[in-house]
Amino acid sequence: MRLVLINVILFIIAVTGCSAPPPEQKPDASKILTSLQEEINKAVKGIEPSLVYAELSGARSVSSMTGMVISSDGKILLPTYLSRIGVTERVQVYLQEKEYEASLVQADDRLKISIVKIQTESSLSAVNLGNAYLTQPGQFVIGVVNGGKNNDFRTFVDVGFIRGMSDDAEFDQVYSLGLTVNPGAVMLTLDGKVIAAQLKGSGTSDYARTKPEGWIISNEIQKCLSKLLAKSSSEKEKVSEEEKQKVRPWLGFGWSPINEDYAEMTGFPKKSILVRYVIKNSPIEKDGLRPDDLILEVDNKPLTKIGSKALEQQFIKYIDPEVDREIIFKVLRPPEADKFETIKSRFIKKPETREFRAEDIGVVVQEITDTTLYERNLLIINGVLVNNVIQGSPASASSSGHNSMINRDDVIVEINRMAISNIDDFIKAIEAIRREKPAVILLKLAIGSRTSFVAINLKAGKK
Amino acid sequence: MRNVFNMGQNNITSFPIPKTFGIVCYLCLILISHSVSFTQEDINGLDEIGARLLKKVDPSVVTIQHEKGLGSGFIISPDGYIITNGHVISLLDRDSEDPKEVARFITVIMSDEKRYRAKVIGHSLDPDVALLKIEPEQTLSAIDLGDSDLVRAGNRVYAYGSPGGLKRTLTAGILSNIERIDLGTFTRVFQTDAPINPGNSGGPLLNEKGEVIGMNTYGGRGEGIGFAIQVNVIKVLKEHFLKYGRFRKSDLPVCFWQHLDDNLSFAFGIDKGILINFVEDGSYINQAGLQTGDIITEIDGQKVSARTEAEISDITWNLTIREVGNPITLKIARPVIPLSGTKKASFTEHIIETMLLEDEPAVEFGWQLGELKELRYDDLGLGVKEITAMTQYYYELPHRKGVRVVRAQPNSAASRADIQIRDIITSINNQPINHIRDFQKEIEKSLSERMKFIPLVIQRCNFTVKTALKPFYDLAPTNKPRKKILVCLPSQEAEHFELVRRFLITNGAQYLLASDTENVTTFDNIVIKIGITFGEILSFNYDGIILMTGKNVKDYWNHPDVLRIVKYCLGNKKAIGAIGGASLAIINADPQASGKKLTTAEEYSSVMLEKKANYTGKEVQVDGLIITTTGFDNKTVKTFLNSYKDVLIGLSD
């Protein structure tokens, strides 16, 4: 900004001659503003070819947003997480008033962005992502958004200031004053570089808010794009959403930020994460992590925040889970205040829990593992956990009024008074039912630590 | 025995209807319809019934009013016993520490507009029944109580009461169903389409003879849907209230049972009985021989059968109302495992002879308030309850050791310690907590010692959490002297003592108890040893006093030593707090204090006005260093204590 003003002033001097102006003469404000206007116009004109208007048609709704061209071959960043494109979702992209059908390349469900691709005849102009960390509070910025179909795809522009940057959320954000919030809106500096964008990963759930909300900075966007593009080039075939859901990176422990007062009382570091539980036979257990350990550093980066929320966000940001990613923890092992350990581990794909769909009865069950015990707050490990009661099945028909006899989170511990310890027992029992075809079967459920019997009439409901 | 999770099951079958049978039915319907068509005479007869009934019952139905609500009731004895709903006289304050707290000033308004103050003899929220007593000047007209076992669905009924405050309102309808257990109440209730609205609660549901067959209790679910408690249930509760002051339930702990519907009967291969869903290992009834999966076929030599939820509800009720300590004999059929899946299963039979025990207080669940008292420390933002057997099972807790957190206020010491509702506190300051008494002892010991951090161990689901509670100690801030309070108590039935005591220790204040006798009794009949008598207080080095109220507050507000102490405080910038009638001591101590804004309990307001005090009538009144309160209820006293704290903190050291 200062550079611009200096340029303006030098220009004025050059034009008016080298003699110093008489002391009583003030700088021409209108000329400064005109110059500023020109810079703004130039920046906006520069970005316009790189902004698109996109419409996402889902099963029940249509939403619209601004997108950015990120590569000349037609890749576009959209501020939404797409998972069902081509199935129940359809994305239309409008660039320079031409309509294109987009296909999904990759998507990130943390930052809530997607890379889509359109087929164009000519090369496109990609955005220029700047370095947001070089910005200053008080700096002029421009907000740009594509007005869409209703506005003949005209560009809408706001001018404002940077209020400041924040790193206490999952993604670093910049806050501005004067810029309207719109899905996918980009924030430019006066030299035309994109330094932030309005994305859902900013933590806003409602784009329509007019109070200053966080804009995700370009550095975070660039990091995410690099990961996504690297992934897409190594994947030979498209991975289904269901498969993506199953591929969850996992280490096998539960944690929470240490309570500040507890830390003060015990003399333990306040900037640490307390390990609540460690799953048996998990990678992290084999690599040495124990319950009550205090994590101080992740990948040699010390935890620096104090306070539950900030510490939690920082830790999440640092662990950055990804299957096969190696991770290093520096931990303190109480009760000694000076016993440190370095734990090296690697994320694996979260072990799948075996599930079985028993159509005969009408329940979908899963095995109960140590992980299930913690995640679903169960009190017993023997039995099978009900994940779903199939509508219209005998199990769903075994109810009275509005109360259901079997519910999600019930544990089946007996069938016909035979103990069900695990999913194999359950499968054997179902096979026996198929052979013997009884009219009624008797289940014993565990609800918390007590039990209840349910008799299911296999002729009831539709199979 | 518990049957809360009983669900009926329906066998879905269908029957073909032959054509000739259908024609015959049609002809019968024509004949029947002609025979039951109403004549003008019948209509006039119905009108007469209504009018006669109204005239008969009107003197026996009353309106019940108190500071927080209004309802109806009916007189059951000439000397003034009145039945109403428990919820009519209960404060139903979900924020209260005691779910059984009742209104203090209950007024009964007769049909002739005479008013009487009522005393609560006993009450219960489920079944929702209360028994009151008034002292009438003359003999009253008692209502006739019918027999709810004789009613049938379809019977014509009348509801009488004060819906929306409209006294002496009669509505009519029929009994739509007499086996409703869907509301989750302890007993089955009657459903009627006679309009029942707020204000009808506690009023009678009458048959055409003007006999009470039920008490209107629940409504508002939809037009034409109201519910009434059976009169036979009311009769039982009345006897309990007279004998014990409460509903004393019998039980065989710890087990859950349910009805044996068609499918369960088929699955177990037994026609009739009651299925035992769960028996806790090692429990009383387990030690007597009962096991999970047993089927009770006889109770005390009588065959039992429950095919529906309504039937099991009745059996449970009949067991619950038996006398605690009564012997009971159960005949059990124990299926031989594995079940064959056929009708002809084999069983072993067993006889269990045992005794009924008293049931635990009810647990709060759903919309039921329960009966368990909360132990609350407001200045920690923490409230806990004991963990009974039913608490463990309703809330799916792993065990019963410790106390259950029921309150963790935001921005409090409890929330700072990351304590959450449903946590179980199992250790305080490295001392194991097995019972709520342990919790109170350890937390108060830690508070009295003004521990900066109180270490806690919490069980949350399957893992253990270690944390630290950091009380704020507002009256003992760091680097400042601790506030010292003299607490003056009347010798009899001192009210709100527990609240004040907990307030003082949680805030770190030093306090001394004073009275004119060595021991005082509290309103809850606890005897407290005091630290000093009024006469022994010769020098005063306190920051303030709190004047408590009680039964003999009138002696106390004229006590020369009390007046001397109060006068000293008035002249020496000490904080003076007074609850209820104790405010009169301020005026009595120094008539010049009459210019100060004061409040007192409503029953003493006339005394204050006679003394020309500046009586405001507010629940809590602060004027400079004087804080007074009506002391009406716990909430008011807590507001008073917070104002008192603010004044104390504002006092310069």
Side-chain angles (χ1 to χ4, degrees), chain A residues 65-185:
Chain A
M65 62 207 77
T66 297
M68 301 184 235
V69 176
I70 56 167
S71 71
S72 57
D73 66 350
K75 291 198 188 72
I76 290 164
L77 183 150
L78 293 180
T80 188
Y81 177 65
L82 294 168
S83 56
R84 307 292 292 159
I85 197 170
V87 183
T88 57
E89 292 170 333
R90 200 170 149 239
V91 177
Q92 307 295 105
V93 168
Y94 299 84
L95 175 65
Q96 288 151 11
E97 298 183 32
K98 267 191 171 164
E99 183 181 326
Y100 299 90
E101 186 89 22
S103 58
L104 179 66
V105 176
Q106 278 290 351
D108 183 85
D109 67 354
R110 279 173 62 213
L111 196 53
K112 302 278 186 282
I113 59 167
S114 302
I115 302 175
V116 299
K117 192 161 189 309
I118 59 174
Q119 297 297 338
T120 58
E121 285 149 6
S122 48
S123 287
L124 300 183
S125 171
V127 294
N128 187 357
L129 290 175
N131 185 349
Y133 292 123
L134 298 178
T135 57
Q136 299 285 336
Q139 183 170 337
F140 274 112
V141 283
I142 308 163
V144 186
V145 73
N146 188 306
K149 271 188 204 165
N150 295 340
N151 296 293
D152 296 327
F153 305 104
R154 280 196 296 270
T155 309
F156 280 69
V157 177
D158 289 317
V159 179
F161 302 92
I162 288 179
R163 289 177 69 228
M165 198 176 298
S166 165
D167 65 351
D168 64 357
E170 193 178 352
F171 301 103
D172 291 354
Q173 301 173 50
V174 67
Y175 292 88
S176 77
L177 187 64
L179 300 195
T180 313
V181 168
N182 272 299

Side-chain angles (χ1 to χ4, degrees), chain B residues 455-608:
Chain B
L456 301 182
V457 176
I458 289 169
Q459 173 95 31
R460 182 175 299 155
C461 302
N462 280 314
F463 52 88
T464 306
V465 176
K466 289 180 188 165
T467 188
L469 193 61
K470 188 180 178 188
F472 300 143
Y473 297 127
D474 289 330
L475 298 178
T478 323
N479 304 323
K480 285 192 173 178
R482 208 172 162 188
K483 298 293 183 194
K484 286 193 260 185
I485 315 296
L486 182 71
V487 181
C488 301
L489 297 150
S491 56
Q492 294 174 39
E493 293 184 27
E495 293 180 30
H496 307 296
F497 173 72
E498 250 312 281
L499 269 187
V500 171
R501 189 188 65 80
R502 272 189 249 150
F503 161 81
L504 292 171
I505 61 164
T506 319
N507 282 286
Q510 203 175 342
Y511 68 94
L512 190 64
L513 301 177
S515 187
D516 57 356
T517 54
E518 273 187 14
N519 296 306
V520 308
T521 54
T522 69
F523 195 72
D524 307 328
N525 291 320
I526 298 169
V527 176
I528 299 168
K529 199 165 167 51
I530 59 128
I532 192 166
T533 59
F534 295 140
E536 288 169 337
I537 301 169
L538 300 171
S539 67
F540 196 91
N541 55 349
Y542 301 93
D543 297 290
I545 54 171
I546 296 178
L547 303 166
M548 310 281 292
T549 192
K551 190 176 177 187
N552 61 330
V553 68
K554 287 182 189 174
D555 303 327
Y556 165 85
W557 79 43
N558 285 316
H559 196 293
D561 290 313
V562 172
L563 299 184
R564 172 173 56 82
I565 293 163
V566 172
K567 187 167 181 174
Y568 178 86
C569 292
L570 284 167
N572 288 276
K573 292 202 171 67
K574 304 292 180 185
I576 304 173
I579 301 176
S583 314
L584 273 301
I586 300 172
I587 302 287
N588 292 343
D590 185 358
Q592 288 192 2
S594 60
K596 293 284 185 184
K597 287 189 202 153
L598 301 171
T599 192
T600 188
E602 202 214 327
E603 62 248 52
Y604 304 121
S605 56
S606 53
V607 179
M608 203 166 250

Side-chain angles (χ1 to χ4, degrees), chain B residues 240-374:
Chain B
H240 274 252
F241 295 151
L242 286 172
K243 198 169 174 186
Y244 306 115
R246 60 190 173 89
F247 180 28
R248 196 166 174 236
K249 299 174 284 192
S250 286
D251 193 23
L252 291 171
V254 175
C255 75
F256 290 77
W257 68 9
Q258 73 171 72
H259 61 292
L260 201 68
D261 62 26
D262 291 342
N263 288 326
L264 283 167
S265 161
F266 187 90
F268 277 98
I270 190 165
D271 279 333
K272 293 174 197 263
I274 298 169
L275 172 61
I276 301 299
N277 260 329
F278 172 72
V279 177
E280 184 183 86
D281 279 342
S283 63
Y284 173 79
I285 194 61
N286 181 230
Q287 287 180 43
L290 195 67
Q291 294 178 14
T292 300
D294 282 350
I295 293 163
I296 299 176
T297 54
E298 287 180 19
I299 298 179
D300 291 334
Q302 302 289 322
K303 288 199 190 307
V304 287
S305 171
R307 266 299 218 246
T308 65
E309 288 176 67
E311 284 175 2
I312 193 72
S313 174
D314 285 348
I315 295 172
T316 308
W317 172 249
N318 288 332
L319 189 129
T320 301
I321 62 174
R322 287 169 62 159
E323 195 74 26
V324 171
N326 267 182
I328 185 168
T329 304
L330 306 175
K331 189 173 182 185
I332 307 293
R334 185 164 293 155
V336 170
I337 294 165
L339 295 178
S340 62
T342 67
K343 268 281 194 187
K344 292 187 197 322
S346 58
F347 298 87
T348 53
E349 283 196 336
H350 307 264
I351 301 288
I352 295 174
E353 287 178 337
T354 185
M355 192 173 72
L356 292 166
L357 300 185
E358 184 167 356
D359 195 7
E360 300 172 325
V363 185
E364 83 281 9
F365 201 73
W367 55 273
Q368 293 283 12
L369 288 182
E371 295 169 331
L372 290 172
K373 270 195 199 177
E374 181 187 342

Side-chain angles (χ1 to χ4, degrees), chain B residues 34-49:
Chain B
H34 277 295
S35 69
V36 296
S37 58
F38 287 103
T39 62
Q40 188 58 44
E41 243 178 59
D42 292 328
I43 292 167
N44 292 343
L46 282 173
D47 286 349
E48 260 314 298
I49 290 170

Side-chain angles (χ1 to χ4, degrees), chain A residues 104-106 228-240 243:
Chain A
L104 179 66
V105 176
Q106 278 290 351
L228 289 178
L229 290 170
K231 224 196 297 186
S232 82
S233 67
S234 68
E235 273 171 11
K236 296 231 162 47
E237 49 188 72
K238 207 164 144 187
V239 178
S240 73
E243 280 159 7

